């Protein structure tokens, strides 16, 4: 049997640990499989504060829908904004709540990806690729999402300074968009801050799902490398019988790691099912609403900028999930070939009979298509991303 490396702190575990510490600061939820090493008094105070912030976020979402009864005198753009945010906030908050609900399952998933699988399937070059991919996608996702809120704030602030308009970023139940009292202005600023709190919480739970999906895709890369490297057993020292025994045992370890990786796949589908489905719904509906809004928007940079950033955030948000889900499917499809080229043909006599049966069963299992689904039936991939984006325009064309 090939020697199993004892687990040591690696860059993957450092990444997940750092991300989980940051996420705790956004929503007071620990997704790390151990206690977060913050001072106890700080955590006690922050946990209580976070519950208050949670209530304010819920009030914000209720206020979005209450505006349909209390804000009748709106422009065409403001009416579209009201519909856009009322609908999208409910979907995004449902995603956030679902991830928090599966906190225990996520902690177990993180432990498996960073500890159990790294004890056997660990390759430094693949880990560097994973870190680069994680940095690239998370940076793009955070940038476009935060830019959306910045653009709404800048656009509303510019109009408030240069025209007679009020600083209105979202349409709440109160104050009225034409209310120019000081208390109304302060309330709008507070609502904008609460909107930021909501966005930060939403981004944080998306990131833990995103890096977990990236980790699973690269775990399949690790598995392929593991099986391909098994041929090295027959090039080393020792008798043929000893090499065959070591190969057979090592192949069984690989099968076990494959089984654990498939368990990770089922877990990410469980904990991220609402997120994957919500992203598909958001992409189709919000892009359609934004195209409608563009028809009634003044063609100036300040007016168009929030729409452009909102479109970008939807496209990138959908893209990072569907692209990485597609990567999982692609990397998993390469595993049967890696198993076939693992060196089983070097075994002889009775060992050859046992190994061939073992390899045949393992390849048959690996040939089953691995995929992540949204809405229970849409396979998330590069192809489905293009289809979903096109369907948004098709919906807009049917309506207008």
């Amino acid at each position: 049997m090939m020697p199993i490396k004892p687990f040591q702190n690696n860059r993957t575990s450092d990444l997940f640990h750092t991300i989980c510490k940051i996420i705790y600061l956004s929503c007071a939820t620990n997704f790390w499989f151990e206690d977060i090493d913050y001072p106890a008094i700080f955590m006690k105070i922050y946990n209580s504060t976070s519950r208050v912030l949670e209530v304010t976020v819920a009030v914000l979402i209720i206020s979005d829908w209450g505006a349909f009864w209390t804000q009748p005198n709106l422009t065409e753009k403001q009416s579209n904004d009201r519909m856009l945010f009322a609908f999208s906030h409910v979907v995004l908050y449902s995603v956030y709540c679902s991830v928090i609900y599966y906190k225990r399952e996520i902690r177990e998933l993180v432990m498996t990806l960073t500890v159990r699988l790294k004890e056997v399937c660990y390759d430094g070059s693949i880990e560097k690729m994973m870190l680069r991919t994680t940095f690239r996608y998370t940076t793009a996702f955070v940038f476009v999402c935060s830019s959306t809120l910045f653009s709404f704030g800048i656009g509303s602030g510019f109009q408030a300074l240069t025209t007679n308009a009020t600083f209105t970023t979202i349409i709440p139940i109160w104050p009225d968009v034409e209310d120019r009292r000081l208390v109304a202005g302060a309330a709008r600023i507070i609502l904008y801050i609460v909107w930021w709190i909501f966005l930060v919480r939403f981004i944080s739970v998306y990131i833990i799902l995103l890096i977990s999906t990236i980790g699973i895709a690269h775990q399949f890369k690790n598995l392929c490398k593991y099986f391909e490297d098994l041929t090295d057993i027959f090039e080393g020292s020792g008798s043929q019988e000893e090499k065959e025994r070591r190969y057979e045992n090592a192949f069984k370890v690989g099968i076990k790691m494959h089984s654990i990786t498939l368990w990770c796949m089922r877990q990410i589908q469980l904990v991220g099912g609402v997120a994957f489905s919500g992203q598909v719904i958001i992409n189709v509906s919000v892009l359609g609403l934004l195209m409608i809004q563009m028809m009634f928007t003044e063609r100036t940079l300040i007016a168009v900028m929030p729409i452009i950033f909102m479109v970008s955030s939807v496209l990138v948000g959908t893209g990072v999930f569907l692209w990485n889900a597609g990567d999982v499917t692609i990397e998993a499809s390469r595993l049967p070939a890696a198993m076939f080229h693992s060196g089983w043909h070097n075994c002889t006599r009775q060992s050859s009979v046992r190994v061939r049966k073992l390899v045949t069963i393992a390849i048959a299992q690996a040939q089953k298509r691995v995929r992540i689904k949204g809405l229970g039936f849409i396979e998330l991939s590069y192809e489905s991303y293009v289809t979903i984006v096109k369907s948004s325009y098709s919906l807009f064309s049917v309506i207008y």
Side-chain angles (χ1 to χ4, degrees):
M1 179 176 178
M2 294 183 68
I4 297 178
K5 301 176 183 178
F7 172 74
Q8 296 179 352
N9 209 35
N10 54 70
R11 296 176 68 183
T12 301
S13 63
D14 291 341
L15 168 69
F16 273 84
H17 186 223
T18 301
I19 292 294
C20 288
K21 290 183 69 174
I22 295 173
I23 291 175
Y24 178 83
L25 294 178
S26 70
C27 59
T29 302
N30 178 20
F31 291 113
W32 188 243
F33 54 87
E34 296 176 339
D35 293 335
I36 293 290
D37 51 349
Y38 285 126
I41 184 65
F42 165 77
M43 295 181 68
K44 183 178 181 180
I45 295 173
Y46 185 66
N47 287 340
S48 300
T49 304
S50 182
R51 284 192 284 269
V52 176
L53 296 177
E54 197 71 65
V55 173
T56 61
V57 169
V59 170
L60 172 68
I61 296 171
I62 295 172
S63 175
D64 290 336
W65 288 93
F68 283 94
W69 286 270
T70 63
Q71 301 275 18
N73 302 316
L74 301 177
T75 64
E76 190 68 36
K77 181 183 181 304
Q78 289 172 336
S79 296
N80 287 330
D81 281 343
R82 179 178 60 182
M83 174 63 72
L84 175 68
F85 293 128
F87 174 75
S88 61
H89 285 174
V90 168
V91 176
L92 298 181
Y93 194 66
S94 299
V95 171
Y96 168 77
C97 291
S98 71
V99 176
I100 297 298
Y101 177 78
Y102 287 113
K103 177 181 68 174
R104 182 176 300 177
E105 287 80 0
I106 292 177
R107 295 180 70 175
E108 190 174 357
L109 174 62
V110 169
M111 188 273 290
T112 303
L113 287 173
T114 59
V115 179
R116 292 186 64 192
L117 291 173
K118 295 299 179 183
E119 291 175 344
V120 177
C121 301
Y122 179 81
D123 184 271
S125 60
I126 295 176
E127 184 179 56
K128 289 180 181 178
M129 292 172 57
M130 190 211 74
L131 294 173
R132 285 197 298 267
T133 303
T134 300
F135 177 78
R136 184 166 63 249
Y137 281 127
T138 54
T139 301
F141 181 66
V142 172
F143 174 76
V144 296
C145 288
S146 57
S147 296
T148 301
L149 263 72
F150 273 122
S151 64
F152 271 91
I154 293 172
S156 298
F158 181 81
Q159 291 203 2
L161 293 174
T162 57
T163 67
N164 196 33
T166 57
F167 177 73
T168 303
T169 52
I170 57 178
I171 311 299
I173 193 173
W174 180 88
D176 189 272
V177 291
E178 296 300 327
D179 190 342
R180 287 173 169 77
R181 292 178 298 167
L182 182 61
V183 64
R188 293 189 186 98
I189 295 175
I190 293 174
L191 282 169
Y192 185 56
I193 295 172
V194 174
W195 194 19
W196 265 105
I197 295 172
F198 171 54
L199 178 74
V200 169
R201 289 176 174 238
F202 160 72
I203 289 177
S204 66
V205 298
Y206 254 51
I207 286 178
I208 193 64
L209 293 178
L210 175 60
I211 64 174
S212 297
T213 307
I214 294 173
I216 292 173
H218 285 78
Q219 175 56 29
F220 277 110
K221 282 181 180 286
N222 276 319
L223 275 174
C224 291
K225 184 72 164 51
Y226 174 85
F227 281 107
E228 290 168 353
D229 288 347
L230 292 185
T231 56
D232 296 341
I233 293 176
F234 295 98
E235 298 176 4
S237 59
S239 65
Q240 177 67 17
E241 183 180 353
E242 180 184 353
K243 292 177 183 178
E244 291 172 354
R245 184 173 62 255
R246 287 167 55 198
Y247 172 84
E248 187 175 348
N249 290 336
F251 197 92
K252 290 178 180 178
V253 171
I255 292 175
K256 181 180 179 181
M257 293 301 102
H258 181 218
S259 176
I260 295 174
T261 306
L262 292 177
W263 176 86
C264 291
M265 274 294 303
R266 292 191 294 271
Q267 286 295 98
I268 198 66
Q269 181 68 68
L270 172 66
V271 302
V274 175
F276 300 139
S277 301
Q279 197 60 51
V280 173
I281 295 171
I282 285 288
N283 192 99
V284 175
S285 57
V286 171
L287 285 184
L289 290 171
L290 288 173
M291 284 186 280
I292 295 172
Q293 187 177 118
M294 181 66 80
M295 295 174 59
F296 303 100
T297 301
E298 183 183 358
R299 298 300 189 270
T300 63
L301 178 62
I302 295 298
V304 173
M305 184 173 61
I307 298 177
I308 293 175
F309 277 113
M310 179 69 82
V311 170
S312 300
S313 65
V314 172
L315 292 177
V316 173
T318 305
V320 293
F321 272 104
L322 270 64
W323 300 335
N324 284 291
D327 285 342
V328 172
T329 302
I330 291 173
E331 296 303 332
S333 68
R334 294 171 178 163
L335 189 56
M339 290 178 172
F340 182 80
H341 294 97
S342 62
W344 58 270
H345 56 279
N346 293 299
C347 296
T348 59
R349 298 183 295 275
Q350 289 301 113
S351 176
S352 176
V353 176
R354 292 194 307 271
V355 166
R356 277 183 292 173
K357 292 180 180 178
L358 189 65
V359 172
T360 301
I361 295 172
I363 290 177
Q365 177 65 32
Q367 285 177 330
K368 295 180 180 178
R369 189 171 179 83
V370 176
R371 52 193 175 183
I372 298 175
K373 294 182 179 180
L375 297 175
F377 64 94
I378 299 177
E379 180 179 336
L380 306 187
S381 63
Y382 299 94
E383 293 80 9
S384 61
Y385 175 73
V386 176
T387 302
I388 291 170
V389 173
K390 285 182 177 179
S391 65
S392 302
Y393 181 75
S394 300
L395 177 63
F396 169 74
S397 299
V398 170
I399 297 175
Y400 286 86

